[in-house]
C-alpha cells in the first residue's frame, strides 16, 4: 500500500509530463486558435525516436533528450509548413481536421515501422529510490521534474526576453495588430510548432521511461490528456496549462488511490466536461478574455451542392436493391453491409456536424449505446431483436442528447473537444460498470438478427435488412432537411447569434438534431451488435468516430446522399484495391488531409 | 485613370475591393503627397477602414494599384509593407492588452535592430507623451481610452516610419484628448512623417489636414485641399448622406 505522499508525488510527476504536452497545445492555440490534435502523435514519435536512440544507438541520456527534442521539433516544423500553412485562408474547421488527419498518418506510420506491439523503453537512470517523509522518490521522478522546470524556465525567458518570444505573445493577443508591427506570423507559427513539438516529443520519451513501455495507443491518450489540461487551464493560457496539468495529474492520482486504476481516465474526462460546462474559458480566465471562437458560423465551407436528379437516385437505389439477386459474391454483400451500417452512422453525423454545425468527434459512443442497449434487451429481457434494435436507437437518442446537452452553449472547437470527451466517458463507463455491461469481458452470445420471429442469417437477408433501414433513415432525413426544421438547423449553424435574435431556441433545435442523429447511430450500433454477436468497450472506438467524420466530409457536410456515397467509397475502395488492413487507417488519414486541402466541400458539396 | 502627382508618396489608383460578393470600393483613387496630412472622411460603413487595410496589405483589392514611394505594394505581405516604412494606428487602437505599456511601445520597433537608438527613441516618446512615463510597467489593457491612444501613437512612431496611417484616432476621446491628439499629429507631421488619416469628424480633421477626400459607400464623391473643402457646403451634405446610407 503506497502512502498519500507517494500518490501526491506520482500525481505531480505525471502532471509534469502532461504539462509538457499541454504547454505546446496552449502556445499553438494562443497564436492560431487551433487545437492541435496531432500533438499526441508527436509525443508518440518522440517516444519511438527515444527508443531507437536508447536501444539501438546507445546514446547517453542527455544526448537522447537532445536527439528527441530536435527530431520532434523537425516533425512539428514539417506539420506546420506542409500540413497547416496552406490552409491559412480556409474555413476554420480545415486546420482542425488536418491535424486529425496528420495524427492518423503519423500514428500509422509509427505502427507500420515498429509494429503495434508494445516495446520496452529502458530508463537510463539507476533504479534506486530515496525515502522522503512517508514516501519514496526515484532519479527518474527527479529527472522529469527537472525537465519540466527547466522547460518552463526556458519558455519563460524566451517569451519574456527574446524578440521572437515577444512576437509570439503579441500574435497571441492580436494577430492583425502584430502583423502591423511587422511581425511575420508564419515565423511565429513555425516557432510555436517547433517548440510545442520538442516539448511533446521529450514528454513521450520521459513517459516511456517512466512506465518502461511504449506503444502506439499512447498517442490519442496524450492528446486527450493534454487537451484536458489545456482547457482546464484556459485555452491559450501557457501558465494555466501548467497548473491545469498538475491539477489533472493530482486528480487522477488521488482518484486511482481511492477507486482503482481503471478509473484514471474517467476522472480526466469528467474534469474536462465539468470545466467546459461551468467555465469554458478555463479556471483562470481573465474576465475580459476574447471569446475563443468567432461568433458566427464560418466553421463549414459554403458551396453549391451537386444536384442529383431524382431518377438517378431511384435507379441507384433500385440497382443496390436487386444486387443480391445478381451473381455477386458473398464478399461483395458483406462489404456493402458494412457500408450501409457506416452509412447510417454517417447520416447521423452529417446531420449533427453538417446541418447544425456541431462537429462531433465522439460519434462512436452513440453506436456503443445502441449496441449495448439492443444486446442487453434481447439477451437479458428476451425482447425480440427487431424491437431491441429500435430500443437501442431510442436509448442512443435519449442518452446521447442528455449527455451532450450541457455542452450546447459551446461552439466550434469546443464542441469537438466536448464530444470527444463524452465519447471517452461512455466507453469508460461501459468498461467500469460491470454489473450491467459485464465490463472488460464484453457481451457475447448476442442473438442474430431476426424479424417477426424469422432469423436473418443469410447474407442476402442481412443485406436487404440493413439497406432498407438505411434508405428509410435517409428518406426521413431528406424530408427533415427540406422542412422548416431543416432551415432552422442551418440558420443556427450559420449564425447562432442571429438565429437567437430571430427567437430560435438553440437548445431545442440542437436537441432535436441529436435526437434524430442519435436514433440513426443507435440503430446502426444495434444492428452491428447482432451481426457481430460479441461486443466490448473497444468495439466502437475513436477511430470509428474519425472514420465517420471522414465519410461525411468526403460526401459533403450535411449532404444525405453524400454521406451514403462517402460510406460506400471509404468502405468499398480499400476492398476494390485489396489494401491490407493495416494500411487502411493510413489511407483514411491521407484522404482526410487531401480533402481538407483540395476539396473541403466534399464530393457532392456541403448543404 | 488619373495620373498621380509626381511627389506622391502613397497612391491608390482605381482600386476595387470586395468582401465575398459585396463590393466595398469602386475605382478608388487617392494620393498622399510627401510630407502632407491627408484625410479620408466618410460615414459609417463607407469603406474607410477597408482603405487602411488595403494600404497595409491586410486586404487585397480585386483590381487597381497601390504604390508607396513609386513601388507597388500589392505583392507584399503586411510585415513587408511595414518594413517599407508605413506604420499604423489601427481602429480602436488594438494594443496588446496583456503586455505592458513599455512592451507595447517597443513592439512598434519590431522591424528595427538598433538597440541603442531604440532606447533613445523610447525616451523621446516619453517626452512627447509625458503621461506614459508613470505607466510603463502597467498592463496596456488597463489604461484609459485616451492613454491607450497615446500608446498606440508612440508605438507607431517607434518604427521611424516615413508614413503613418491612422484609423479614427480621435474616436471616443474627451475634447481635451482630441485636441491633444490633433496637436500631436501636427507635430509628427512637422518632423517629416506623412500622415494618412481616416475620420468621421470632418471639422476636426480639416483643421489639420492639407488635403481631404470624402468617401461615400465606396466612392470618392469630393476631394481637394482642406482649405477649400472647409468652406464647401457640399461637405456637410455628403456627410449626412453617408451616415444615412449606413
Ligand atoms: N471582414 C469583412 N468581411 C465582410 N464584410 C466586411 C468586412 N469588413 C468590413 N466589411 C463591410 O465592408 C463595409 C465597409 O467597412 P469598413 O470597416 O471599411 O467601413 P468604415 O467606413 O470603416 O466604417 P466605420 O465608420 O463603422 O468604421 C461595411 O459594410 C462592412 O460591413
Ligand atoms: Mg472603420
Amino acid at each position: 500500500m503506497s502512502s498519500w505522499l507517494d500518490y501526491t508525488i506520482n500525481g505531480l510527476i505525471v502532471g509534469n509530463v502532461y504539462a509538457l504536452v499541454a504547454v505546446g497545445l496552449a502556445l499553438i492555440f494562443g497564436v492560431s486558435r487551433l487545437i492541435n490534435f496531432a500533438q499526441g502523435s508527436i509525443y508518440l514519435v518522440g517516444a519511438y525516436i527515444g527508443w531507437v536512440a536508447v536501444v539501438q544507438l546507445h546514446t547517453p541520456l542527455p544526448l537522447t533528450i537532445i536527439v528527441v527534442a530536435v527530431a520532434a521539433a523537425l516533425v512539428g516544423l514539417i506539420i506546420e509548413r506542409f500540413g497547416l500553412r496552406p490552409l491559412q485562408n480556409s474555413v476554420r474547421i480545415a486546420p482542425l481536421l488536418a491535424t486529425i488527419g496528420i495524427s492518423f498518418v503519423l500514428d500509422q506510420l509509427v505502427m507500420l515501422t515498429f509494429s503495434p506491439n508494445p516495446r520496452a523503453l529502458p530508463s537510463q537512470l539507476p533504479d534506486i529510490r530515496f525515502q522522503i517523509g512517508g514516501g519514496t522518490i526515484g532519479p527518474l521522478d527527479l529527472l522529469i521534474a527537472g525537465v519540466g522546470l527547466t522547460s518552463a524556465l526556458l519558455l519563460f525567458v524566451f517569451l519574456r526576453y527574446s524578440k521572437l518570444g515577444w512576437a509570439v505573445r503579441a500574435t497571441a493577443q492580436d494577430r492583425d495588430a502584430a502583423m502591423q508591427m511587422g511581425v511575420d506570423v508564419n515565423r511565429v507559427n513555425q516557432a510555436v510548432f517547433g517548440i510545442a513539438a520538442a516539448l511533446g516529443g521529450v514528454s513521450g520519451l520521459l513517459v516511456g521511461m517512466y512506465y518502461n513501455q511504449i506503444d502506439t495507443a499512447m498517442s490519442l491518450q496524450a492528446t486527450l490528456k493534454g487537451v484536458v489540461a489545456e482547457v482546464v487551464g484556459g485555452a491559450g493560457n501557457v501558465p494555466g496549462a501548467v497548473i491545469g496539468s498538475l491539477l489533472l495529474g493530482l486528480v487522477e492520482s488521488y482518484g486511482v488511490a481511492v477507486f482503482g486504476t481503471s478509473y484514471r481516465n474517467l476522472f480526466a474526462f469528467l474534469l474536462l466536461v465539468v470545466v467546459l460546462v461551468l467555465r469554458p474559458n478555463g479556471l483562470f480566465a481573465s474576465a475580459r478574455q476574447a471569446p475563443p471562437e468567432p461568433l458566427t458560423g464560418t466553421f463549414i465551407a459554403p458551396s453549391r451542392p451537386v444536384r442529383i436528379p431524382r431518377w438517378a437516385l431511384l435507379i441507384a437505389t433500385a440497382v443496390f436493391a436487386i444486387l443480391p439477386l445478381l451473381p455477386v459474391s458473398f464478399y461483395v454483400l458483406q462489404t456493402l453491409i458494412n457500408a450501409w451500417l457506416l452509412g447510417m452512422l454517417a447520416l447521423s453525423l452529417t446531420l449533427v456536424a453538417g446541418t447544425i454545425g456541431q462537429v462531433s468527434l465522439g460519434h462512436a459512443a452513440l453506436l456503443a449505446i445502441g449496441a449495448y442497449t439492443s444486446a442487453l434487451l434481447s439477451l437479458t429481457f428476451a425482447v425480440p431483436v427487431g424491437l431491441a434494435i429500435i430500443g437501442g436507437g431510442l436509448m442512443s437518442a435519449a442518452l446521447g442528447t442528455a449527455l451532450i446537452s450541457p455542452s450546447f452553449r459551446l461552439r466550434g472547437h469546443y464542441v469537438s473537444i466536448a464530444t470527444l470527451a463524452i465519447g471517452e466517458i461512455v466507453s469508460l463507463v461501459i468498461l467500469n460498470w460491470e454489473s450491467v455491461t459485464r465490463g472488460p469481458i464484453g457481451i457475447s452470445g448476442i442473438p442474430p438478427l431476426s424479424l417477426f420471429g424469422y432469423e436473418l442469417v443469410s447474407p442476402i437477408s442481412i443485406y436487404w435488412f440493413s439497406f432498407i433501414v438505411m434508405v428509410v433513415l435517409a428518406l426521413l432525413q431528406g424530408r427533415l432537411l427540406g422542412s422548416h426544421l431543416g432551415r432552422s438547423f442551418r440558420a443556427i449553424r450559420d449564425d447562432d447569434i442571429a438565429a437567437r435574435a430571430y427567437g430560435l431556441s438553440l437548445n431545442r433545435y440542437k436537441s432535436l438534431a441529436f435526437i434524430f442523429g442519435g436514433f440513426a447511430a443507435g440503430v446502426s450500433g444495434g444492428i452491428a451488435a447482432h451481426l457481430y454477436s460479441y461486443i466490448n468497450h473497444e468495439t466502437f472506438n475513436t477511430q470509428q468516430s474519425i472514420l465517420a467524420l471522414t465519410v461525411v466530409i468526403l460526401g459533403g457536410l450535411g449532404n444525405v446522399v453524400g454521406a451514403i456515397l462517402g460510406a460506400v467509397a471509404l468502405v468499398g475502395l480499400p476492398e476494390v484495391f485489396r489494401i491490407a488492413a493495416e494500411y487502411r487507417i493510413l489511407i483514411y488519414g491521407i484522404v482526410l488531409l487531401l480533402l481538407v486541402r483540395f476539396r473541403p466541400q466534399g464530393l457532392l458539396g456541403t448543404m | 485613370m488619373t495620373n498621380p502627382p509626381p511627389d506622391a508618396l502613397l497612391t491608390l489608383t482605381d482600386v476595387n475591393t470586395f468582401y465575398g460578393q459585396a463590393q466595398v470600393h469602386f475605382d478608388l483613387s487617392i494620393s498622399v503627397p510627401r510630407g502632407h496630412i491627408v484625410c479620408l472622411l466618410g460615414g459609417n460603413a463607407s469603406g474607410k477602414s477597408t482603405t487602411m487595410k488595403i494600404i497595409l496589405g491586410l486586404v487585397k483589392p480585386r483590381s487597381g494599384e497601390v504604390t508607396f514611394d513609386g513601388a507597388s505594394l500589392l505583392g507584399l505581405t503586411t510585415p513587408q509593407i511595414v518594413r517599407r516604412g508605413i506604420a499604423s494606428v489601427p481602429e480602436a487602437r488594438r494594443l496588446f492588452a496583456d503586455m505592458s505599456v513599455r512592451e507595447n511601445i517597443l513592439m512598434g520597433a519590431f522591424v528595427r535592430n538598433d538597440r541603442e537608438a531604440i532606447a533613445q527613441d523610447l525616451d523621446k516618446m516619453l517626452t512627447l507623451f509625458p503621461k506614459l512615463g508613470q505607466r510603463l510597467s502597467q498592463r496596456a489593457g488597463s489604461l484609459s481610452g485616451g492613454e491607450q491612444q497615446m500608446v498606440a501613437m508612440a508605438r507607431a512612431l517607434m518604427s521611424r516610419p516615413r508614413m503613418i496611417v491612422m484609423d479614427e484616432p480621435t474616436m471616443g476621446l474627451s475634447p481635451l484628448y482630441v485636441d491633444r491628439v490633433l496637436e500631436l499629429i501636427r507635430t509628427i507631421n512637422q518632423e517629416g512623417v506623412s500622415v494618412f488619416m481616416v475620420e468621421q469628424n470632418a471639422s476636426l480633421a480639416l483643421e489639420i489636414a492639407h488635403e481631404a477626400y470624402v468617401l461615400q459607400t465606396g466612392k470618392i464623391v469630393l476631394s481637394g485641399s482642406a482649405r477649400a473643402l472647409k468652406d464647401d457646403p457640399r461637405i456637410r451634405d455628403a456627410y449626412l448622406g453617408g451616415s444615412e446610407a449606413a
Side-chain angles (χ1 to χ4, degrees):
Chain A
M1 189 65 210
S2 303
S3 72
W4 280 103
L5 188 59
D6 275 331
Y7 283 113
T8 308
I9 292 173
N10 175 266
L12 290 175
I13 296 304
V14 173
N16 243 299
V17 166
Y18 293 160
L20 289 172
V21 177
V23 160
L25 287 171
L27 279 172
I28 291 173
F29 191 90
V31 299
S32 47
R33 299 290 179 269
L34 165 71
I35 303 261
N36 176 20
F37 277 98
Q39 186 74 356
S41 304
I42 295 173
Y43 163 101
L44 179 71
V45 169
Y48 275 86
I49 292 173
W51 180 85
V52 171
V54 172
V55 173
Q56 304 199 316
L57 307 176
H58 308 289
T59 52
L61 181 63
L63 186 59
T64 311
I65 293 179
I66 292 172
V67 165
V68 168
V70 170
L74 278 179
V75 176
L77 292 179
I78 292 172
I79 291 176
E80 190 279 328
R81 180 64 191 83
F82 299 102
L84 299 175
R85 200 179 297 176
L87 300 175
Q88 250 166 14
N89 300 318
S90 319
V91 281
R92 288 188 37 73
I93 193 179
L96 174 83
L97 296 172
T99 61
I100 292 175
I102 289 167
S103 134
F104 267 53
V105 170
L106 283 179
D107 290 1
Q108 289 305 309
L109 287 178
V110 170
M111 192 181 281
L112 291 170
T113 316
F114 293 95
S115 94
N117 299 328
R119 282 168 192 255
L121 178 57
S123 157
Q124 295 177 291
L125 289 168
D127 191 15
I128 46 172
R129 300 201 66 85
F130 312 107
Q131 290 288 331
I132 48 156
T136 65
I137 194 164
L140 194 54
D141 297 320
L142 296 174
L143 174 71
I144 291 176
V147 170
L149 288 175
T150 313
S151 311
L153 189 67
L154 287 178
L155 195 59
F156 176 81
V157 170
F158 166 73
L159 289 175
R160 179 76 33 163
Y161 298 108
S162 79
K163 201 163 170 178
L164 192 53
W166 281 40
V168 168
R169 284 158 65 213
T171 307
Q173 286 171 46
D174 191 329
R175 198 183 178 86
D176 276 1
M179 284 165 70
Q180 291 176 47
M181 299 303 117
V183 171
D184 180 348
V185 176
N186 285 334
R187 281 204 54 213
V188 167
N189 276 336
Q190 251 171 7
V192 294
F193 268 89
I195 294 171
L199 294 177
V202 170
S203 175
L205 169 73
L206 295 175
V207 171
M209 289 186 171
Y210 193 67
Y211 293 113
N212 193 3
Q213 179 182 320
I214 55 176
D215 65 60
T216 44
M218 291 165 69
S219 166
L220 180 65
Q221 285 306 317
T223 302
L224 292 173
K225 294 300 170 58
V227 167
V228 175
E230 196 222 342
V231 172
V232 169
N237 179 342
V238 173
V242 174
I243 298 174
S245 301
L246 296 177
L247 196 66
L248 177 61
L250 287 174
V251 165
E252 280 188 10
S253 189
Y254 293 144
V256 168
V258 177
F259 296 97
T261 320
S262 60
Y263 284 86
R264 175 182 282 273
N265 293 341
L266 199 52
F267 285 106
F269 298 124
L270 286 177
L271 181 65
L272 175 66
V273 172
V274 168
V275 169
L276 278 179
V277 170
L278 298 182
R279 301 206 58 151
N281 279 335
L283 294 182
F284 321 104
S286 56
R288 44 154 285 113
Q289 202 173 33
E293 288 288 338
L295 299 184
T296 50
T298 45
F299 216 56
I300 306 291
S303 76
R304 197 164 299 164
V306 178
R307 282 259 161 259
I308 300 178
R310 190 173 289 258
W311 57 262
L313 286 178
L314 281 174
I315 290 177
T317 312
V319 168
F320 279 112
I322 59 166
L323 194 72
L325 303 176
L326 307 174
V328 294
S329 67
F330 168 75
Y331 173 70
V332 169
L333 291 187
Q334 191 60 48
T335 303
L336 284 172
I337 290 170
N338 288 337
W340 305 146
L341 289 180
L342 182 59
M344 291 176 217
L345 181 66
L347 283 175
S348 163
L349 185 57
T350 212
L351 177 72
V352 167
T355 308
I356 201 160
Q358 312 289 299
V359 178
S360 160
L361 299 182
H363 235 57
L366 296 173
L367 289 179
I369 295 172
Y372 269 85
T373 307
S374 187
L376 290 171
L377 281 178
S378 56
L379 264 180
T380 317
F381 301 100
V383 174
V385 170
L387 281 181
I389 290 173
I390 293 178
L394 293 176
M395 183 61 99
S396 268
L399 202 55
T401 310
L403 286 173
I404 190 70
S405 60
S407 323
F408 277 162
R409 67 202 191 89
L410 303 174
R411 292 185 237 268
H413 281 76
Y414 283 71
V415 174
S416 303
I417 297 174
T419 47
L420 188 63
I422 291 168
E424 292 294 310
I425 289 174
V426 166
S427 132
L428 288 165
V429 167
I430 290 174
L431 175 64
N432 285 298
W433 196 9
E434 295 194 17
S435 60
V436 172
T437 63
R438 305 182 194 176
I441 303 163
I443 301 182
S444 51
I446 302 169
L449 281 180
S450 68
L451 210 54
F452 309 118
Y454 296 98
E455 288 202 347
L456 309 179
V457 281
S458 72
I460 297 190
S461 56
I462 297 172
Y463 177 95
W464 270 328
F465 178 76
S466 50
F467 183 65
I468 289 169
V469 171
M470 184 197 68
V471 169
V472 168
L473 288 170
L475 287 174
L476 282 176
Q477 192 159 327
R479 287 294 295 266
L480 180 77
L481 295 187
S483 71
H484 180 67
L485 192 58
R487 281 190 291 280
S488 303
F489 283 169
R490 286 188 291 268
I492 287 172
R493 169 192 75 193
D494 293 337
D495 188 344
D496 64 357
I497 303 280
R500 208 176 326 202
Y502 288 125
L504 292 180
S505 155
L506 300 193
N507 289 354
R508 171 132 33 95
Y509 285 102
K510 287 183 181 173
S511 301
L512 283 172
F514 273 94
I515 287 171
F516 191 93
F519 182 78
V523 166
S524 171
I527 297 175
H530 296 282
L531 286 183
Y532 302 162
S533 88
Y534 170 78
I535 55 176
N536 69 16
H537 69 285
E538 286 174 334
T539 310
F540 309 100
N541 57 21
T542 307
Q543 253 176 27
Q544 287 188 41
S545 300
I546 305 298
L547 175 60
L549 192 60
T550 311
V551 165
V552 302
I553 292 167
L554 178 63
L557 278 162
N559 195 317
V560 169
V561 180
I564 295 168
L565 179 71
V568 173
L570 276 198
V571 172
L573 292 182
E575 301 291 344
V576 172
F577 294 110
R578 312 259 161 188
I579 293 169
E582 56 271 33
Y583 287 96
R584 281 193 192 172
I585 307 284
L586 181 64
I587 305 262
Y588 294 148
I590 293 172
V591 167
L592 185 57
L593 277 176
L594 292 177
L595 275 174
V596 166
R597 174 85 173 78
F598 297 106
R599 203 169 162 84
Q601 74 276 35
L603 293 176
L604 299 186
T606 55
M607 291 179 76
Chain B
M1 267 304 253
T2 48
N3 277 333
D7 62 338
L9 180 60
L10 176 88
T11 66
L12 281 77
T13 314
D14 295 331
V15 165
N16 288 288
T17 313
F18 290 76
Y19 286 118
Q21 303 285 328
Q23 184 161 6
V24 183
H25 290 151
F26 300 82
D27 289 330
L28 188 70
S29 294
I30 289 174
S31 98
V32 181
R34 239 174 262 277
H36 278 205
I37 300 177
V38 172
C39 184
L40 181 64
L41 301 166
N44 285 119
S46 54
K48 304 184 301 296
S49 298
T50 306
T51 312
M52 296 265 302
K53 290 179 186 160
I54 290 284
I55 297 170
L56 290 165
L58 290 164
V59 172
K60 294 289 178 192
R62 190 170 290 179
S63 66
E65 180 58 284
V66 181
T67 66
F68 183 68
D69 206 8
S72 174
L73 296 182
L74 287 185
L76 304 183
T77 63
T78 302
Q80 286 168 334
I81 291 171
V82 173
R83 279 168 202 275
R84 294 270 165 111
I86 301 183
S88 63
V89 178
E91 191 169 21
R93 351 238 189 262
R94 306 283 288 264
L95 297 186
F96 304 111
D98 287 330
M99 295 170 84
S100 70
V101 169
R102 176 198 296 275
E103 286 173 328
N104 266 277
I105 297 175
L106 288 175
M107 269 310 291
F110 189 80
V111 294
R112 296 169 55 187
N113 287 315
D114 43 346
R115 276 170 168 271
E116 276 121 59
I118 291 175
Q120 281 168 15
D121 281 2
L122 179 61
D123 290 340
K124 205 176 132 199
M125 289 310 137
L126 297 184
T127 47
L128 202 57
F129 306 94
K131 280 207 169 148
L132 298 183
Q134 309 121 37
R135 307 244 180 253
L136 278 181
S137 50
Q138 206 168 317
R139 257 186 84 244
S142 68
L143 299 185
S144 76
E147 290 166 334
Q148 291 198 15
Q149 186 63 43
M150 300 296 153
V151 177
M153 290 173 70
R155 185 178 69 172
L157 285 171
M158 284 299 286
S159 65
R160 290 199 177 166
R162 287 192 280 167
M163 175 167 175
I164 296 192
V165 293
M166 304 191 192
D167 196 342
E168 305 203 31
T170 64
M171 188 173 63
L173 300 187
S174 67
L176 200 68
Y177 265 111
V178 169
D179 287 345
R180 179 103 188 82
V181 165
L182 294 180
E183 198 49 50
L184 280 164
I185 293 173
R186 216 189 310 238
T187 313
I188 291 168
N189 176 246
Q190 275 157 7
E191 294 189 5
V193 182
S194 309
V195 176
F196 176 73
M197 61 187 276
V198 155
E199 259 300 342
Q200 298 213 35
N201 189 330
S203 54
L204 280 181
L206 293 174
E207 285 296 312
I208 60 166
H210 299 100
E211 289 90 28
Y213 292 79
V214 177
L215 190 63
Q216 201 174 24
T217 53
K219 299 181 187 101
I220 298 291
V221 292
L222 210 58
S223 66
S225 78
R227 197 167 315 163
L229 284 181
K230 227 182 317 191
D231 306 324
D232 193 318
R234 286 175 300 173
I235 190 130
R236 278 194 64 85
D237 304 345
Y239 252 86
L240 296 174
S243 330
E244 272 161 19

